[in-house]
Amino acid sequence: MSQASAATLGFLRRRRRVHRSPQQRSDRFTGLYTVGLYTAIGAWVSVQALRQSPTRGGSATWLASGGLARAGTVALLLGLLAALRYATWQGPVVFSAPDVHFLLGAPLPRAELVRDRLGRGLLIGAGGGAAFGLAAFVLLEAELGVAAWPLLVAALLGPVALGLLAAALGWLVESSPTTARVVLRASPLVLVVAAAGWLGGAVAATVDPWSGPWGWAVGPLVAAAGGHDPGWPVQAALLVVLTVATVIAAWLGAGNASLEELERRAGARVGLDASIFMADPRGAALLRRQALGGLLGVRRLRLRHPRHRWLAIPWRDALSLLRTPGRVGWALVLCGTSVLTVAVAPDRKLLAAGAVVVAYLGAAQLLEPLRGEADQPDASRQLPWRWGDLMLLHTATPILTLTVIGLTVTVTAALLGLLPGPTLGMALAACLPVAAALVWSAAIAGQRGRLGLDQFMAASAMGELGGPLHLVRWFATGPLVALVALLVPVLVLQGAAGHPTPRMHAATTNAASLLVTALAVQGAWLRSRQPPD
């Protein structure tokens, strides 16, 4: 770094240190201490729980016979994809708005200023990989009981190198809008590859460690955990070489990003910080969507205008989904994952509960028009419908879309041999009511509008225990409603699995009655709602 750049950055650090109040330093220390304390407690509890688990032998056999290779490869691939998608609108190098206006506008080499932030981003990437590796080490050591030091080295080597690689690739994506668009458009293909890597069985366990840097990072871990991967030295060498080459390329290309691109990301960071401070995930999602819209543009599609006025709202919602097909894609991925998980292990109650929550998140992707209506409830006064009826009209298109997704995924599961004939008919018949239950659960949460100051004031008045619980209840309302509506019928069906046909028919009737009752309660609740204040 040149003398002028070093002197300027040193001056800025000193001025910021002077203006940082003791309370800010205390809050930072308290936050780090809290994170470290709860991390240590969680690690200790996890180790003890796994050591006392009665299914340790079965889990150890599954991990050693290829499960670790598949699970680790898919997890690291999805983590790398998430890091690259984050780089399309933020990334490892983000300046503040004053830095963009004054520091980057000064007669100083931009590459040197960027490298100062890029170095921090590389350290954060390596730290994130180390945290993932330590978590994997704790879980595997508690489950397998193999030699600790080789497992620890292998658990740190791959994820740390992949974290550095993700940070370096993040800067390359950040500095090139063309590369960012490629990442966004290739994301569905990466998800398909991840699904194939998970569902591929014994073939995937052999191929996954050679599938790319995400697999190369898992190879040494598989070998240290007692699995079969004779090529792990080559995989580790390939990962190190690729990581070093990518880091060097990112370091040499530190001055490639335009000032306009850095300014756009700085503006998004201001809104992101405000959304995090106000616990407003919807605000952060809207900022991300706005940033990605600038890269991909807006799809200009048309639909024929409806002839009946009650079709106007479903028509508008369908047009919104056509212009944002990514929402349908995420709904397909999330709901498809849920269906395949239940089909593979139909007797696991915990997996069924997790599948309901994941499917709820998929249904929530389709309800953006309803949430937009709740953000500006005064606009609905110009429409000839009550608020509750308007909410029900907004759920028509998502229910139909989710039903089609459910039918598609159910038929796919049957073709894969995961659903027998009698179960297939029942699953196809359940697609529409299950879709309605998921969408209405998401609508019950979405029609309240965004989390406001009144909720924070109510939480602050409830004290240190009641306040956080109040905010958690706000965010957990939708998933809890979905669990109440769907998990009880699922448990009834699971309890009758493997029993004679008359008992199975009775369980099916009881489950259908419970689901219809839940739908009636949800519909009545939505129809009785009033616009948010």
Side-chain angles (χ1 to χ4, degrees):
M1 180 177 291
S2 65
Q3 185 176 0
S5 299
T8 302
L9 292 177
F11 173 77
L12 286 176
R13 292 191 186 100
R14 290 192 298 272
R15 298 305 300 170
R16 287 168 177 165
R17 192 178 301 114
V18 169
H19 288 281
R20 188 178 296 131
S21 65
Q23 183 63 39
Q24 289 176 318
R25 288 191 286 268
S26 176
D27 292 343
R28 181 176 298 180
F29 172 78
T30 303
L32 292 175
Y33 170 77
T34 303
V35 171
L37 176 63
Y38 281 100
T39 300
I41 293 174
W44 184 83
V45 171
S46 300
V47 170
Q48 297 302 318
L50 287 173
R51 287 191 182 278
Q52 298 175 9
S53 175
T55 62
R56 178 175 176 178
S59 299
T61 303
W62 179 80
L63 289 170
S65 61
L68 177 58
R70 291 189 290 132
T73 300
V74 171
L76 292 181
L77 175 59
L78 295 178
L80 180 61
L81 176 62
L84 296 185
R85 285 184 64 90
Y86 176 72
T88 59
W89 70 289
Q90 285 293 279
V93 177
V94 179
F95 290 89
S96 64
D99 285 341
V100 172
H101 295 155
F102 298 103
L103 184 60
L104 296 182
L108 297 171
R110 185 181 303 169
E112 296 180 351
L113 302 176
V114 168
R115 283 170 185 158
D116 183 66
R117 304 293 178 96
L118 180 59
R120 300 180 198 174
L122 293 173
L123 289 177
I124 292 174
F132 179 85
L134 284 174
F137 165 75
V138 170
L139 296 176
L140 292 175
E141 177 61 25
E143 189 70 21
L144 301 176
V146 297
W149 284 109
L151 183 65
L152 177 61
V153 173
L156 290 177
L157 173 64
V160 168
L162 192 68
L164 282 171
L165 178 63
L169 287 175
W171 169 247
L172 297 178
V173 171
E174 184 178 348
S175 58
S176 173
T178 302
T179 307
R181 282 190 286 269
V182 170
V183 169
L184 293 174
R185 290 183 172 131
S187 296
L189 178 61
V190 175
L191 293 175
V192 171
V193 172
W198 175 253
L199 300 173
V203 176
T206 304
V207 174
D208 283 354
W210 295 99
S211 58
W214 44 88
W216 303 340
V218 177
L221 184 61
V222 172
H228 179 71
D229 188 6
W232 71 265
V234 179
Q235 295 161 4
L238 289 173
L239 178 62
V240 171
V241 170
L242 179 61
T243 300
V244 171
T246 307
V247 169
I248 292 174
W251 196 262
L252 295 178
N256 292 342
S258 64
L259 183 62
E260 293 77 13
E261 184 67 19
L262 295 175
E263 184 177 11
R264 182 176 68 86
R265 294 170 185 269
R269 171 58 62 89
V270 174
L272 180 62
D273 291 342
S275 298
I276 294 175
F277 179 78
M278 295 298 295
D280 182 16
R282 174 162 165 72
L286 291 175
L287 284 170
R288 182 188 63 85
R289 192 176 309 117
Q290 182 180 4
L292 299 184
L295 285 172
L296 298 178
V298 179
R299 297 168 61 91
R300 297 296 182 184
L301 299 176
R302 296 180 181 273
L303 287 176
R304 291 185 59 183
H305 291 276
R307 296 185 178 182
H308 303 282
R309 69 174 188 176
W310 64 272
L311 291 175
I313 300 299
W315 168 82
R316 191 181 70 176
D317 295 347
L319 192 60
S320 175
L321 289 179
L322 288 175
R323 291 179 176 178
T324 55
R327 292 190 170 277
V328 181
W330 280 112
L332 175 62
V333 169
L334 295 172
C335 295
T337 302
S338 302
V339 172
L340 293 177
T341 300
V342 174
V344 170
D347 57 339
R348 301 290 296 274
K349 297 179 175 59
L350 186 59
L351 283 180
V356 170
V357 174
V358 173
Y360 164 84
L361 296 177
Q365 294 290 322
L366 306 175
L367 281 171
E368 180 59 27
L370 182 146
R371 289 190 289 269
E373 200 84 64
D375 286 345
Q376 296 179 342
D378 291 339
S380 65
R381 302 183 188 279
Q382 304 176 16
L383 300 175
W385 296 288
R386 296 172 54 252
W387 179 259
D389 295 335
L390 184 62
M391 293 298 100
L392 289 175
L393 288 174
H394 270 300
T395 62
T397 299
I399 289 174
L400 292 177
T401 304
L402 200 64
T403 300
V404 173
I405 291 175
L407 293 173
T408 303
V409 176
T410 302
V411 172
T412 303
L415 294 177
L416 294 175
L418 300 176
L419 289 176
T423 307
L424 174 61
M426 184 174 62
L428 292 175
C431 284
L432 178 59
V434 169
L438 291 170
V439 171
W440 282 353
S441 299
I444 288 173
Q447 58 85 31
R448 301 171 301 178
R450 295 168 71 169
L451 186 65
L453 289 175
D454 54 341
Q455 298 296 329
F456 281 101
M457 295 297 292
S460 62
M462 294 180 181
E464 297 181 356
L465 180 61
L469 291 178
H470 176 75
L471 295 179
V472 169
R473 181 194 62 80
W474 173 275
F475 291 112
T477 296
L480 289 177
V481 172
L483 285 172
V484 171
L486 292 177
L487 189 58
V488 176
V490 169
L491 294 178
V492 170
L493 293 176
Q494 286 181 337
H499 288 82
T501 302
R503 181 170 177 179
M504 189 64 192
H505 287 169
T508 303
T509 303
N510 293 335
S513 301
L514 291 171
L515 183 56
V516 170
T517 302
L519 288 175
V521 173
Q522 286 181 323
W525 178 269
L526 277 174
R527 197 170 187 277
S528 66
R529 293 300 86 196
Q530 298 297 324
D533 297 333

